[in-house]
Amino acid sequence: MASESQNWVLVVTARTPTNIAVIKYWGKRDEKLILPVNDSISVTLDPDHLCTTTTVAVSPSFDQDRMWLNGKEISLSGGRFQSCLREIRSRASDVEDKEKGIKISKEDWEKLHVHIASYNNFPTAAGLASSAAGFACFVFSLAKLMNVNEDQSKLSAIARQGSGSACRSLFGGFVKWIMGKDKNGSDSLAVQLADEEHWDDLVILVAVVSSRQKETSSTSGMRESVETSLLLQHRAKEVVPKRILQMEEAIKNRDFASFAQLTCADSNQFHAVCLDTSPPIFYMNDTSHKIISIVEKWNRSEGTPQVAYTFDAGPNAVLIARNRKVAALLLQRLLFYFPPNSDSDLNSYIHGDKSILQDAGLAGLKDVEALPPPPEIKDNIPSQKYRGDVSYFICTRPGRGPVYLSDESQALLNPETGLPK
Ligand code: DP6
């Protein structure tokens, strides 16, 4: 390690998106390597609205690897962090920064320690896939710091060992995680099917549903499903392989009717597998079910799907509208059924891309109660309202993959000390 002094700190910052699966990953054939029982497909969400930012630093003055998540120090001793760190370190190459007089050789990386600070721009407690963006950013930023010369798919196979769904966050747009065949997992990786420009009409509304119940984690839930659900075996063998091909076709042709039909069917089958697990797992709640019936009723009345819904391991709904006009109509319907608590105004009820409020003609609306009932409710019986059952909405769209942030002001670690700012 050649350098003028031992006080230097080298820093890299990156930003990585989260993703929502439209063909679900549920079940591992290898727990340690995180190898799935079927392929899956996801849409990357716009990192402007949902993302993880991570700064990694290296310095000869650090005496151990340390990590901070949302400002709080957390342990790096878990097997998943250790797998990712080990895989990245073993691929590190020489690094030279002439300006700072830093020279790190390939062999030095085994002895050097890193500091990692990570921040989610959305509430971690909201049950939105924070581990996907988190592990993807962990691997992506360390790979840059350690000058790992591997393509994005190879990096995805490392992020996979942090959390399965994380491998799909290494790309923007539409992404497929190929399950692979190798025992060592080398061919279980993500590939991009289409970038975020390919189908940019789509608008995504996430309903963050209030929940009192502690949910079963994906990791233990899917383990129980693998052990006890016959439906999971049938799904992995007979259903998903065909759906993957159909979904790839639907995305390629921007065929919204097929895309929506497949997305909803796959979400419902995933939750059916959860019910088929012993003891059964309930991720959706009454609010989730209510949202499904609102969308189903509307889609049926239009004759062709306008909106797709999908739910992960929790009650939050991810709704994908075919275009902005439909998204505006969807928002009107959702606000009709799920008005905000009287103490919150629309501006704090809708997060992310707030321009949807203008599009829906709701920007100046004082009283959501004034919204008329959607026309597909034909009877005159006033429909029930579910005030407070949705905490808030996030409006977003398909988005780009990971990026490095060169602007030092965006770093989460102090470039002099390597400690959180
Ligand atoms: C329902 O990737 O969180 O969101 O690999 O054990 O970390 P681990 O699980 P995780 O599972 C995600 C499950 C899902 C479906 C999906 O994202 O495909």
Side-chain angles (χ1 to χ4, degrees):
M1 217 173 323
S3 74
E4 307 301 304
S5 82
Q6 293 294 291
N7 290 330
W8 55 263
V9 181
L10 194 62
V11 173
V12 168
T13 301
R15 191 182 75 165
T16 300
T18 180
N19 71 78
I20 176 75
V22 289
I23 301 291
K24 304 288 185 196
Y25 147 54
W26 194 252
K28 298 181 183 71
R29 60 180 202 278
D30 184 314
E31 286 261 348
K32 191 148 191 303
L33 289 169
I34 310 197
L35 301 177
V37 295
N38 55 256
D39 293 350
S40 54
I41 293 181
S42 59
V43 181
T44 298
L45 305 184
D46 190 337
D48 283 351
H49 309 128
L50 293 155
C51 72
T52 297
T53 303
T54 300
T55 300
V56 289
V58 63
S59 166
S61 66
F62 299 168
D63 56 7
Q64 55 169 323
D65 294 337
R66 294 177 75 182
M67 176 157 182
W68 294 264
L69 177 61
N70 296 326
K72 230 182 108 210
E73 182 152 18
I74 59 162
S75 164
L76 268 173
S77 65
R80 290 170 172 218
F81 283 121
Q82 288 301 319
S83 301
C84 292
L85 270 170
R86 186 188 60 241
E87 294 297 314
I88 288 287
R89 271 204 175 100
S90 72
R91 289 168 178 78
S93 343
D94 299 350
V95 170
E96 189 168 4
D97 187 325
K98 286 210 172 100
E99 226 169 90
K100 291 189 174 152
I102 301 169
K103 205 169 171 194
I104 307 169
S105 71
K106 206 173 152 65
E107 300 72 42
D108 293 336
W109 287 110
E110 289 299 328
K111 303 182 292 267
L112 284 165
H113 294 288
V114 289
H115 283 183
I116 301 157
S118 210
Y119 171 80
N120 298 324
N121 74 345
F122 53 93
T124 313
L128 301 162
S130 55
S131 69
F135 275 107
C137 214
F138 185 92
V139 167
F140 185 72
S141 51
L142 283 171
K144 171 87 173 174
L145 182 77
M146 300 191 186
N147 192 17
V148 172
N149 298 307
E150 302 266 24
D151 66 28
Q152 223 52 357
S153 282
K154 290 269 168 57
L155 292 184
S156 80
I158 302 176
R160 186 201 76 228
Q161 298 176 55
S163 180
S165 52
C167 75
R168 298 185 310 237
S169 273
L170 273 122
F171 295 96
F174 297 83
V175 185
K176 173 167 141 181
W177 174 9
I178 302 169
M179 64 182 284
K181 288 202 267 312
D182 285 357
K183 265 198 123 63
N184 68 9
S186 60
D187 59 351
S188 185
L189 40 78
V191 294
Q192 188 177 53
L193 298 175
D195 71 15
E196 61 279 15
E197 318 259 276
H198 168 73
W199 199 353
D200 60 1
D201 283 349
L202 301 179
V203 176
I204 300 169
L205 260 180
V206 183
V208 177
V209 170
S210 324
S211 145
R212 269 149 261 114
Q213 180 190 328
K214 170 91 190 86
E215 286 138 26
T216 313
S217 76
S218 303
T219 307
S220 60
M222 68 176 85
R223 184 184 306 129
E224 286 160 22
S225 294
V226 168
E227 282 165 6
T228 63
S229 169
L230 284 176
L231 179 57
L232 179 140
Q233 311 295 332
H234 170 70
R235 162 177 167 75
K237 211 162 141 242
E238 309 289 341
V239 182
V240 175
K242 294 189 190 89
R243 270 193 193 151
I244 288 278
L245 296 175
Q246 292 167 335
M247 183 57 94
E248 285 189 58
E249 251 334 87
I251 291 169
K252 193 170 100 200
N253 302 323
R254 298 184 201 90
D255 171 357
F256 189 82
S258 304
F259 175 83
Q261 188 268 323
L262 290 162
T263 298
C264 299
D266 203 68
S267 172
N268 289 333
Q269 188 174 67
F270 153 51
H271 291 277
V273 166
C274 293
L275 271 187
D276 190 47
T277 300
S278 176
I281 307 166
F282 309 100
Y283 284 127
M284 293 195 285
N285 64 16
D286 289 351
T287 311
S288 320
H289 293 149
K290 180 71 199 166
I291 294 174
I292 292 182
S293 50
I294 293 167
V295 172
E296 288 282 355
K297 198 178 270 171
W298 186 26
N299 281 344
R300 225 165 317 129
S301 79
E302 293 288 326
T304 175
Q306 305 297 310
V307 175
Y309 55 81
T310 186
F311 296 79
D312 276 348
N316 297 336
V318 178
L319 304 168
I320 309 176
R322 68 187 313 155
N323 56 39
R324 279 192 84 77
K325 199 168 152 225
V326 167
L329 294 169
L330 172 65
L331 186 60
Q332 289 175 356
R333 281 168 171 78
L334 291 168
L335 290 175
F336 173 80
Y337 289 106
F338 304 103
N341 270 326
S342 45
D343 53 353
S344 73
D345 62 13
L346 273 188
N347 205 40
S348 57
Y349 197 43
I350 315 289
H351 295 220
D353 176 8
K354 290 179 196 268
S355 69
I356 192 71
L357 282 170
Q358 268 96 47
D359 294 0
L362 299 168
L365 192 74
K366 287 273 165 312
D367 183 11
V368 180
E369 294 298 326
L371 281 171
E376 62 271 17
I377 322 177
K378 286 194 199 73
D379 43 51
N380 290 324
I381 311 152
S383 30
Q384 208 184 325
K385 303 244 179 182
Y386 304 88
R387 184 184 296 282
D389 286 1
V390 169
S391 303
Y392 57 90
F393 293 97
I394 306 170
C395 182
T396 185
R397 62 175 84 83
R400 63 184 302 182
V403 289
Y404 296 111
L405 305 175
S406 51
D407 176 4
E408 267 200 1
S409 72
Q410 304 206 47
L412 304 172
L413 295 171
N414 181 317
E416 256 101 67
T417 62
L419 290 166
K421 280 184 177 170

